[in-house]
Amino acid sequence: MAAPVPPGAQRPNNPQNTAPPNSLAANMQNLNINRPPPPMPGSGPRPFAPSPQPSYGVQQQHPRPSPMPRPGPPPPAMTRPGGPPQPGGIPFGRPSGPPPSQPPFGSRPPGAFPAAAPPSGARPVGFGSPPPMGPGMSMPGGPVTNGPPPPMMSAPGGPGPVTNGPPPMMSHGGPGPVTNGPPPMMGPGGFPRGPQFPGGSMMGPPPPYGQPPNAHPLAGGSPLTSPPAHSIPPPTTFPGAPYGRPGGFPYGAPPQQHASAPGTPGSMYGMGPVPNQSMTTVSGPSKVDLNQIPRPGTSSGPIMYETRQENQANPPPPATVDYIARDTGNCSPRYMRCTIHQIPCTVDLLSTSGMQLALIIQPLALSHPSEEPIQVVDFGESGPVRCSRCKGYINPFMKFVDQGRKFICNLCGYTDETPRDYQCNLGPDGRRRDADERPELCRGTVDFVATKEYMVREPMPAVYFFLIDVSMNAIQTGATAAACSAIQQVLSDLPEGPRTFVGIATFDSTIHFYNLKRALQQPLMLIVPDVQDVYTPLETDVIVQLSECRQHLEILLESIPTMFQESKSPESAFGAAVKAAFLAMKSTGGKLMVFQSVLPSVGIGALSSREADGRANAFADEKEAHKLLQPADKTLRTMAIEFAEYQVCVDLFITSQAYVDMASVSDIPRTTGGQVYCYYPFSALSDPPKLYNDLRWNITRPQGFEAVMRVRCSQGIQVHEYSGNFCKRIPTDIDLPAIDCDKAVMVTLKHDDKLQDGAECGFQCALLYTTITGERRIRVINLSLPCTSMLSNLFRSADLDSQFACMLKQAANEIPTKAPSLVKEQAINSCISTLSSYRKFCATVTSAGQLILPEALKLLPLYTLALTKSVGLRSDGRIDDRSFWINHVSSLSTPLAIPLICPRMIAVHDLDTKDNEGETVVPSSIPLTSENLRDDGVYFLENGDDALMYVGEAVNSDILMKLFNVPSAADIPSQYVLEKYDNQLSKKFNDVVNEIRRQRSSYLRIKLCKRGDPTGMLFLSYMVEDRTAGGPSYMDFLVQVHRQIQGKLN
């Protein structure tokens, strides 16, 4: 055990994640909105903290790392900031600090070894997948107070005046009617995700395909403008950026709110101010100004956010805005976020609200570079202080009594003896005198150093095994060469030192292992022809230390495409190859990265093509068509459970041009904590850069191995279900062979008793894991929220981002077992149930012609409509695209949930004529309607993982020359590759794309779409506000929602 470090001292070799700040322009126009009262009061006793003891663990000050390799070609070279050396001799380009801490539960079952963390930027959708998300979203309402509900919105069907009512919550959407009431408080914003390692900075190999994306904040797409908020200067470009994290919002920040004059009602859609309580009937969409209906807005500048103020929980900013969190007792919302920031006292109250009660937990999330690093606490051999009944970890909400000799657990209420060496006198306020000196007593998130009792074996080494498809199709399409090239380039990003091991194998209808021992003059191929009963030859020589085999490995990777050039084997023994690789890794665990190009057709887990039958069933409106989204059988799932038991995490890179039964093969990554990346249809011209960047980010992002996670709740609330990419063998814990900064887990909650109004309800997530440098850690994340018995408080404190993320994940879980029409109906009914409850119990009496929405949830109808039109629910889409979408949503983080279904669209043709828009690189986004697409325009659409470029029929030849270096749209190659030309427009567009790539932690493959051909129709399918075969227009949907609410009320 490392020697204790004095409080406040830096802990060596444990750098902290960082990311560049970002700034956005805030936008809002003609929205008279009343601001809600100050933040919700949380009335829970503040935990007291004991005085420091000699064996007390240290606060770890992680050195601020330099820019991390983000998706996008690797920077040529990045300087690394000074600070403690990276542990374990980790090479530049790799996160040096250990991943987040480990879970608190007891030691793992024997034989279960952790695996490497899964890759982060999996493409959310293949070629038919939804484009990126649009501009910012509505901000969560300010603090909640007892009183009337948030402001209301007039009905879309026709302008209706706004009634006097509870204060509105802040939103950044377009102006919408609001009720008179106290002015809303502006919540701090979140910021876009970007790479940021807990470890030191990383330097990567020279960019193989061009310069990496810059990290710059992005402006959302509300058409409204507003005064820019105080902002942080944008980060520098990738190659010299001080942080590896992108700045800016993922799709725009919320606009600042302008309060209405006292006594003046807000404006209705398309109407000027209306008298209080005036009544207007819904007469149809013709009289409504589309620019005035609720839409995501934009804002600039990071918001400063304190998690608790005056011993009360502070409602968090939206996940989609730029914010800098200061941990003052509750964790940063980046790590854990609740769907409602006040907990309903009874199950009946929750049921009446129609809302979900759940936590979205992203335990290793990247933090903002301006935020304090997470402290590491070492209690020595005794381990962290825990409750003897529920095993909860010491935290700021445990109350010390009897002069500090005892403490009361905030989770189960049990009174425990304080260990003698941890006792400290209490001050006049009842708090321990040393509380502010001990991170575990004053911070919502800490890392504890795990003791021997948390280990069943020595921490596993970093093992990376690469498995490459060399079937005839993979060789001919260039997929094998692209995989070999990507692996060769990321070798320099692997951690250096004696704890890093690698292995490699190839497969077609047989499996080929390679002996990489240095003693051999060249790598030796070992063929395993039996794909029904596989085995691993020469187990000790198949996986060797990287330092011993780097030269042989590089030679082998260069020669593999040539060795199999004449291959005539179209078959793929995918299942057998994965099983054989697992057998080689079984003794250690690790990351297995599989590059697959064709449908597995021979050996264990062989599959047959179900797509043709699927299409026929879909067109025939066959009720069982959705079953093609389920695995063909349980063979691969059974294998995956065994992999997870031995801590082997599988990441799957699918470089196909045909059906591969994604529903079946994705079972393995999903069960082992891995990730699926899809490149369909694979192009040897445009996809290698994305493949390389995805692989590099997968390896270099902050991550942990052999992890276990458990969530504990206060009495009265219990965990109902976990959802995400993991294996679950016992009811209370989830096993994660690997966990990384991009993965989120949804935890749904349920009441098992009545809570006390005014008390606080605590939640604690504990993650036990092994860092990349071989240290066992326990990351403990705490959140304490006030309980309420008032329905209006629930609506005021609703968190739109996490509410919708839950709706999205639940829909994805149900798509394989229900017809799309039933899943759509369920999502719409959920939305209407929530809004009708607000209208019935919280809104003041108004005319039947008004649609009244809670300010915090005013964009819920738009996001619900977008969900019903998403790739996963398009019955006419490719089966594999839908399966990939379902798998991608499973572990999707909250900030990326909305962009996935509601992409961001920006105009490219006039980038060089715009000013800097408050120094943001990415301009405001445009509402997703075809009315905004001009024939002479060029548009860019992105959903966080894929991008589409739309070119109109009448684009000026000068613009085409600047952007594509061709005189006419017909001359633009169908396989588009972004290039930078020597003109202002091209340079600005490259800056925008690189910034978005940096924000999304994804390289964003760009597909060209031209008006008038099938690709143009693909682009139009993402115009979610238009009427399509998949559903009504946004305006018609608002009218439909209004009528259904009226039907419920009547």
Side-chain angles (χ1 to χ4, degrees):
M1 186 62 61
V5 183
Q10 281 197 351
R11 180 182 182 85
N13 300 335
N14 193 17
Q16 171 65 13
N17 309 342
T18 58
N22 80 65
S23 71
L24 287 184
N27 279 328
M28 185 134 203
Q29 174 186 42
N30 301 330
L31 178 53
N32 296 324
I33 206 166
N34 303 306
R35 312 197 171 212
M40 352 181 206
S43 66
R46 166 160 184 143
F48 305 92
S51 58
Q53 298 300 325
S55 67
Y56 170 65
V58 316
Q59 299 187 358
Q60 165 169 348
Q61 206 64 7
H62 308 244
R64 185 82 43 205
S66 54
M68 304 192 5
R70 271 202 91 63
M78 302 174 160
T79 57
R80 126 188 257 141
Q86 298 200 18
I90 294 178
F92 289 113
R94 173 152 203 83
S96 67
S101 37
Q102 311 103 312
F105 339 112
S107 56
R108 304 205 37 130
F113 311 128
S120 83
R123 298 169 40 98
V125 255
F127 245 17
S129 52
M133 158 82 194
M137 315 165 31
S138 82
M139 302 190 51
V144 180
T145 61
N146 295 328
M152 332 204 178
M153 195 165 150
S154 89
V162 184
T163 62
N164 296 325
M169 315 228 3
M170 215 160 152
S171 83
H172 24 310
V178 228
T179 61
N180 295 324
M185 176 177 104
M186 188 130 171
F191 76 99
R193 61 191 232 148
Q196 167 183 344
F197 299 96
S201 74
M202 316 185 21
M203 294 175 55
Y209 308 102
Q211 110 182 30
N214 307 329
H216 201 64
L218 139 152
S222 156
L224 319 173
T225 60
S226 81
H230 131 106
S231 64
I232 289 183
T236 61
T237 58
F238 210 110
Y243 319 105
R245 178 189 194 83
F249 311 162
Y251 42 123
Q256 299 195 15
Q257 298 284 341
H258 303 278
S260 310
T264 305
S267 316
M268 305 310 299
Y269 302 132
M271 305 288 294
V274 288
N276 294 337
Q277 297 293 348
S278 81
M279 313 214 175
T280 305
T281 57
V282 175
S283 56
S286 58
K287 294 186 178 179
V288 179
D289 180 351
L290 292 176
N291 289 323
Q292 299 298 306
I293 64 178
R295 285 200 177 97
T298 55
S299 163
S300 77
I303 300 169
M304 305 304 295
Y305 165 68
E306 288 195 358
T307 60
R308 289 181 73 87
Q309 291 179 324
E310 299 179 357
N311 199 27
Q312 293 181 351
N314 198 11
T320 53
V321 303
D322 187 11
Y323 64 92
I324 298 172
R326 182 166 173 260
D327 184 339
T328 50
N330 273 342
C331 65
S332 163
R334 301 189 205 288
Y335 304 117
M336 182 156 63
R337 183 180 282 265
C338 189
T339 53
I340 312 175
H341 307 312
Q342 292 196 36
I343 307 301
C345 288
T346 64
V347 65
D348 291 341
L349 185 64
L350 177 64
S351 177
T352 300
S353 74
M355 291 189 282
Q356 293 277 348
L357 181 60
L359 300 170
I360 303 288
I361 303 174
Q362 197 174 348
L364 304 191
L366 300 174
S367 60
H368 192 286
S370 299
E371 293 173 355
E372 291 183 5
I374 291 176
Q375 306 283 325
V376 175
V377 178
D378 188 348
F379 276 87
E381 294 184 4
S382 62
V385 175
R386 301 176 69 175
C387 170
S388 60
R389 178 196 282 174
C390 71
K391 301 302 179 185
Y393 289 81
I394 189 73
N395 65 75
F397 306 99
M398 286 186 171
K399 183 176 181 179
F400 286 84
V401 294
D402 190 14
Q403 302 303 314
R405 289 189 287 266
K406 296 181 180 179
F407 65 91
I408 302 171
C409 177
N410 66 310
L411 300 173
C412 70
Y414 185 69
T415 301
D416 255 309
E417 297 286 336
T418 306
R420 290 180 63 86
D421 60 358
Y422 194 66
Q423 291 179 9
C424 176
N425 291 332
L426 307 183
D429 58 356
R431 296 182 68 222
R432 282 178 53 137
R433 294 184 181 276
D434 66 349
D436 292 331
E437 300 169 17
R438 289 183 174 273
E440 74 275 19
L441 298 179
C442 64
R443 295 285 182 266
T445 305
V446 294
D447 279 350
F448 291 115
V449 173
T451 57
K452 293 290 184 184
E453 67 178 297
Y454 294 89
M455 308 178 198
V456 292
R457 62 167 186 177
E458 287 301 310
M460 61 179 277
V463 178
Y464 302 89
F465 198 99
F466 301 97
L467 186 58
I468 306 170
D469 185 346
V470 291
S471 63
M472 182 172 67
N473 179 276
I475 293 290
Q476 292 177 353
T477 60
T480 299
C484 291
S485 173
I487 295 168
Q488 189 172 2
Q489 291 177 80
V490 300
L491 290 179
S492 58
D493 291 307
L494 294 175
E496 299 204 359
R499 298 188 73 262
T500 301
F501 291 78
V502 295
I504 189 168
T506 54
F507 67 98
D508 44 27
S509 58
T510 58
I511 308 161
H512 327 107
F513 284 92
Y514 298 88
N515 186 330
L516 299 172
K517 285 194 77 91
R518 179 185 289 170
L520 300 174
Q521 290 186 351
Q522 61 182 16
L524 178 65
M525 180 190 289
L526 307 159
I527 299 177
V528 178
D530 188 346
V531 293
Q532 295 296 342
D533 184 15
V534 295
Y535 58 90
T536 300
L538 298 175
E539 183 175 338
T540 54
D541 295 334
V542 169
I543 296 179
V544 297
Q545 286 184 344
L546 176 61
S547 56
E548 285 189 15
C549 69
R550 185 186 295 270
Q551 187 175 357
H552 277 352
L553 191 54
E554 290 177 348
I555 293 171
L556 178 62
L557 288 166
E558 286 180 3
S559 59
I560 283 176
T562 312
M563 287 165 51
F564 295 93
Q565 190 65 49
E566 304 303 320
S567 171
K568 301 299 180 188
S569 173
E571 308 293 343
S572 165
F574 165 80
V578 172
K579 179 68 178 286
F582 158 71
L583 293 175
M585 305 172 70
K586 188 173 179 179
S587 62
T588 59
K591 287 180 72 72
L592 172 57
M593 285 160 281
V594 186
F595 298 82
Q596 179 201 3
S597 296
V598 295
L599 180 74
S601 53
V602 296
I604 301 172
L607 300 167
S608 59
S609 179
R610 303 185 288 167
E611 186 181 35
D613 293 342
R615 287 189 175 281
N617 290 345
F619 286 125
D621 199 23
E622 171 62 46
K623 292 182 180 179
E624 300 298 309
H626 61 267
K627 289 194 172 179
L628 294 173
L629 299 171
Q630 301 172 11
D633 59 40
K634 296 182 179 179
T635 305
L636 297 180
R637 166 71 61 86
T638 303
M639 285 171 49
I641 292 172
E642 185 183 9
F643 295 178
E645 181 181 352
Y646 288 93
Q647 308 304 328
V648 172
C649 166
V650 181
D651 293 315
L652 191 53
F653 297 79
I654 297 181
T655 52
S656 70
Q657 293 185 338
Y659 175 76
V660 294
D661 198 347
M662 183 82 72
S664 297
V665 299
S666 64
D667 237 5
I668 298 180
R670 189 165 179 172
T671 306
T672 60
Q675 183 167 335
V676 179
Y677 298 83
C678 183
Y679 310 83
Y680 172 86
F682 181 79
S683 162
L685 177 65
S686 58
D687 284 332
K690 178 168 176 57
L691 179 63
Y692 160 72
N693 280 279
D694 286 346
L695 179 62
R696 184 169 188 244
W697 179 238
N698 179 317
I699 285 173
T700 57
R701 62 187 169 186
Q703 56 195 282
F705 304 148
E706 54 187 344
V708 186
M709 190 178 99
R710 176 184 294 183
V711 173
R712 295 179 173 88
C713 311
S714 288
Q715 289 178 313
I717 297 286
Q718 64 179 356
V719 171
H720 174 59
E721 191 177 16
Y722 293 93
S723 177
N725 288 9
F726 54 76
C727 181
K728 188 176 180 185
R729 288 195 291 270
I730 62 174
T732 54
D733 302 353
I734 57 174
D735 295 330
L736 299 146
I739 177 74
D740 60 71
C741 62
D742 295 319
K743 297 286 190 305
V745 175
M746 177 174 72
V747 184
T748 53
L749 307 170
K750 64 180 181 180
H751 286 76
D752 59 11
D753 201 352
K754 184 176 180 179
L755 302 175
Q756 183 181 350
D757 192 5
E760 289 210 353
C761 182
F763 304 96
Q764 184 178 85
C765 168
L767 178 77
L768 171 68
Y769 72 97
T770 298
T771 69
I772 203 141
T773 54
E775 299 174 68
R776 285 296 265 174
R777 293 281 172 82
I778 306 165
R779 172 155 297 186
V780 177
I781 303 168
N782 298 284
L783 180 64
S784 185
L785 298 174
C787 302
T788 182
S789 57
M790 294 190 62
L791 186 62
S792 58
N793 284 347
L794 297 186
F795 284 105
R796 251 195 218 94
S797 59
D799 186 291
L800 174 66
D801 297 7
S802 50
Q803 282 281 348
F804 179 73
C806 285
M807 179 190 288
L808 175 66
K809 290 173 183 286
Q810 288 170 346
N813 288 338
E814 291 169 355
I815 289 172
T817 58
K818 294 182 180 177
S821 58
L822 293 179
V823 180
K824 291 181 183 181
E825 183 181 355
Q826 188 169 317
I828 293 172
N829 288 343
S830 173
C831 170
I832 290 171
S833 174
T834 300
L835 300 180
S836 63
S837 175
Y838 175 81
R839 173 65 184 259
K840 180 176 181 179
F841 299 108
C842 300
T844 55
V845 180
T846 57
S847 156
Q850 291 179 284
L851 171 64
I852 301 179
L853 305 175
E855 188 62 22
L857 301 175
K858 67 189 276 184
L859 292 174
L860 185 60
L862 173 60
Y863 297 150
T864 302
L865 174 64
L867 171 59
T868 64
K869 297 180 178 182
S870 62
V871 169
L873 286 167
R874 291 179 193 166
S875 55
D876 59 344
R878 291 179 67 247
I879 297 294
D880 273 356
D881 284 346
R882 296 181 64 199
S883 294
F884 175 77
W885 185 90
I886 292 167
N887 187 78
H888 179 69
V889 167
S890 173
S891 62
L892 194 65
S893 65
T894 305
L896 288 180
I898 289 172
L900 178 66
I901 55 92
C902 214
R904 165 169 53 188
M905 179 169 72
I906 60 174
V908 176
H909 50 271
D910 56 358
L911 281 176
D912 56 346
T913 62
K914 295 181 179 178
D915 58 20
N916 287 336
E917 294 195 20
E919 298 184 353
T920 59
V921 170
V922 184
S924 296
S925 63
I926 303 168
L928 295 169
T929 168
S930 54
E931 293 180 3
N932 291 322
L933 300 179
R934 294 170 19 193
D935 277 349
D936 61 347
V938 178
Y939 300 88
F940 182 78
L941 184 80
E942 63 88 16
N943 67 358
D945 196 70
D946 261 335
L948 300 177
M949 183 94 161
Y950 179 85
V951 181
E953 291 180 306
V955 181
N956 185 290
S957 59
D958 182 50
I959 291 175
L960 293 175
M961 283 299 297
K962 289 178 178 178
L963 288 172
F964 307 102
N965 201 31
V966 295
S968 71
D971 297 326
I972 305 173
S974 57
Q975 292 190 359
Y976 174 66
V977 177
L978 178 65
E979 294 190 32
K980 182 184 285 190
Y981 299 104
D982 189 17
N983 63 73
Q984 190 67 14
L985 180 59
S986 178
K987 290 176 182 175
K988 279 202 169 186
F989 179 54
N990 272 264
D991 289 344
V992 167
V993 172
N994 286 336
E995 169 57 21
I996 293 173
R997 285 171 170 170
R998 184 158 181 145
Q999 290 174 5
R1000 303 301 198 200
S1001 295
S1002 177
Y1003 185 76
L1004 293 182
R1005 173 175 73 167
I1006 303 174
K1007 176 173 171 56
L1008 188 70
C1009 300
K1010 298 179 185 178
R1011 183 179 176 87
D1013 68 16
T1015 58
M1017 296 307 295
L1018 169 64
F1019 189 91
L1020 293 177
S1021 70
Y1022 294 113
M1023 300 296 104
V1024 297
E1025 295 192 21
D1026 286 351
R1027 180 193 303 275
T1028 64
S1033 67
Y1034 182 25
M1035 179 51 63
D1036 289 345
F1037 184 68
L1038 286 173
V1039 174
Q1040 173 187 332
V1041 167
H1042 174 68
R1043 288 176 179 163
Q1044 291 200 37
I1045 290 175
Q1046 289 301 315
K1048 277 179 168 278
L1049 295 178
N1050 296 334

